[in-house]
Amino acid sequence: MAKGLHDADRSIAACARADQPAPACKAQNLLADPSVDTHRRIAQLTADIQADAKANEAAQRLHKISGIVPVTASALATPPSGCACLQAGS
């Protein structure tokens, strides 16, 4: 079994080319699919956060600070909703 996400993609592709027996492909896909799916979901979430940071003026200003990446800028520019601890006088 290949190790790492990129190797998982190669294993899935190898199965698709029928380089491996069908039972082996089923087992590899069963093990690899959750990792590949999680990686894709994280990539989409990262892209969404980066797009939000580009559209948010406060996040853009924060991103100009050395060491502040778009994800951090977006998080800092968007306080949690419904948090009573951040209300004035609390």
Side-chain angles (χ1 to χ4, degrees), residues 17-85:
R17 291 189 313 268
D19 291 340
Q20 298 179 4
C25 288
K26 287 181 182 180
Q28 283 185 331
N29 289 343
L30 180 68
L31 295 172
D33 283 347
S35 296
V36 172
D37 182 53
T38 299
H39 183 266
R40 288 183 184 135
R41 290 171 49 200
I42 290 170
Q44 181 59 53
L45 180 59
T46 300
D48 291 347
I49 292 170
Q50 288 174 339
D52 180 63
K54 286 182 181 179
N56 185 318
E57 185 180 332
Q60 289 176 9
R61 288 194 311 260
L62 287 165
H63 183 57
K64 292 178 183 178
I65 299 171
S66 177
I68 301 291
V69 296
V71 172
T72 304
S74 182
L76 292 172
T78 309
S81 61
C83 183
C85 61

